[in-house]
Amino acid sequence: MWETALEETCTVDQLSFIPEELVRTLQKNAGNEDTRCSSSTLEMLRLLASLDVPKELLACMLEMAGFSIHHVRYLAGPLALHRSLWGDVIPTWLKAACMQDRFDLILSEYEQDQVGDYATPTEVLAYMMPASFEAPMHRDYSDLYIWAGNEVMRKHNKLPEGADNFYELIGGHAIEFKTVKTEFHDLSRSIRQSVVKHAAQQGWGKRRNRAKEEALAVVNPVQTTDQPKQGSLF
């Protein structure tokens, strides 16, 4: 099940809400893969994300700034949810937190000059929540669900006043990441690959791919190919 994407491209009207200084900075980076955003530019992007700017507009800005196509697609892609009649149980704050944490992860990877493989614990929690209402989960995934719940509730200040962690609320023992690492990697990798694939099908990144191919054709026609590049997608 997918949350519907609002827009596939940003418009001039949308960009008018963005500070002119930031737009000019991003436009300088457009088409120049050797130019990286400054720390001040990244902080401005973080500030915009905290103001609930639509993720589609933020994705356009990342594309202007020369972020990788993977990062643009990961941000623009929809929220991945377990297909279930219990989809409505996911609270609004958790859906918003998924996109905020996804954006933070992208900026963190960008600062480290990396493109990661995994989605966030917040996305894993949102994906698993409907499934938790359908039937008892296997012990390994039950532990993952509880671990993710603790991580997310602590990060987003959703624990009751006076509580230090989620485990004490349910009378359970603390779960260390190393015990759920395999399940987290498997599920979060699948979530991220699926989100990126869906965004690619919506058209995100195709325009830049065509522009790059045309540039390569001018510089070195011998190296061009008609064979599409395919990755391993979920």
Side-chain angles (χ1 to χ4, degrees), residues 30-124:
N32 187 353
E33 296 184 354
D34 295 328
T35 302
R36 294 185 59 80
C37 292
S38 65
S39 58
S40 60
T41 300
L42 295 179
E43 286 305 312
M44 291 182 72
L45 289 171
R46 285 192 174 94
L47 176 60
L48 288 172
S50 69
L51 297 175
D52 295 328
V53 172
K55 64 182 176 65
E56 292 78 19
L57 178 54
L58 289 172
C60 287
M61 297 173 69
L62 295 190
E63 189 166 14
M64 291 172 61
F67 277 62
S68 72
I69 291 177
H70 177 97
H71 280 150
V72 172
R73 288 173 173 170
Y74 179 37
L75 181 60
L79 183 61
L81 304 177
H82 177 71
R83 189 178 297 278
S84 169
L85 296 177
W86 291 95
D88 292 340
V89 302
I90 303 174
T92 301
W93 73 262
L94 181 56
K95 293 182 180 181
C98 283
M99 304 315 303
Q100 179 66 57
D101 288 358
R102 184 187 291 183
F103 188 70
D104 288 344
L105 176 58
I106 289 171
L107 293 190
S108 176
E109 291 178 357
Y110 178 83
E111 290 176 318
Q112 300 174 59
D113 198 19
Q114 297 177 351
V115 174
D117 295 322
Y118 308 114
T120 65
T122 317
E123 292 177 86
V124 168

Side-chain angles (χ1 to χ4, degrees), residues 3-9 14 53-57 76 78 202 204:
E3 291 295 297
T4 304
L6 298 178
E7 297 284 345
E8 293 187 11
T9 58
Q14 288 176 320
V53 172
K55 64 182 176 65
E56 292 78 19
L57 178 54
Q202 290 181 317
W204 286 97

Side-chain angles (χ1 to χ4, degrees), residues 145-180:
Y145 183 59
I146 295 173
W147 172 85
N150 180 65
E151 293 294 307
V152 173
M153 293 182 73
R154 290 183 63 188
K155 179 176 181 179
H156 294 279
N157 299 316
K158 293 299 178 180
L159 290 170
E161 185 176 356
D164 294 326
N165 58 66
F166 181 63
Y167 307 119
E168 65 186 44
L169 297 179
I170 61 176
H173 64 282
I175 298 173
E176 298 183 8
F177 176 67
K178 64 182 180 181
T179 65
V180 297

Side-chain angles (χ1 to χ4, degrees), residues 214-233:
E214 291 171 358
L216 287 173
V218 173
V219 174
N220 191 352
V222 177
Q223 295 183 1
T224 60
T225 175
D226 292 330
Q227 294 296 324
K229 295 182 180 180
Q230 297 181 348
S232 176
L233 300 174

